Amino acid sequence: PIISSNLPVLREVLINNYNSTLVNPENSLKWIEKIDFLLNNNTVIAENAYKNFCDHFQWNTRADKYLKYFAQI
């Protein structure tokens, strides 16, 4: 599972409680709480993160998107 700071630039890719757990970067107690949560409940979030990665961010997937885009130009 992915645990990350809850920052606007990261929310473009990471969706809280779907493919990641986003936490206020300044709240260390929340980080501890979320880490404990993920240690016991990480299956769905980890599976969603992996599926999201495979569907959108592997090199061959990204290359295919660019090739399709340039073929339309």
Side-chain angles (χ1 to χ4, degrees), residues 22-64:
L22 302 177
V23 184
N24 180 336
E26 298 176 6
N27 187 336
S28 59
L29 294 177
K30 280 289 182 187
W31 278 84
I32 293 167
E33 178 184 306
K34 293 294 184 171
I35 290 168
D36 285 339
F37 172 80
L38 287 175
L39 286 172
N40 299 307
N41 303 289
N42 64 6
T43 305
V44 173
I45 292 174
E47 289 172 358
N48 290 339
Y50 182 70
K51 182 177 180 344
N52 188 248
F53 166 75
C54 290
D55 291 347
H56 300 285
F57 300 104
Q58 288 184 339
W59 283 109
N60 58 338
T61 305
R62 295 176 74 190
D64 286 343

Side-chain angles (χ1 to χ4, degrees), residues 59-73:
W59 283 109
N60 58 338
T61 305
R62 295 176 74 190
D64 286 343
K65 287 180 184 179
Y66 286 114
L67 291 172
K68 288 177 185 174
Y69 172 77
F70 287 119
Q72 295 175 354
I73 295 178

Side-chain angles (χ1 to χ4, degrees), residues 4-11 14 16 21-25 31:
S4 178
S5 295
N6 189 3
L7 301 173
V9 68
L10 298 174
R11 288 193 305 261
L14 301 177
N16 191 39
T21 298
L22 302 177
V23 184
N24 180 336
W31 278 84

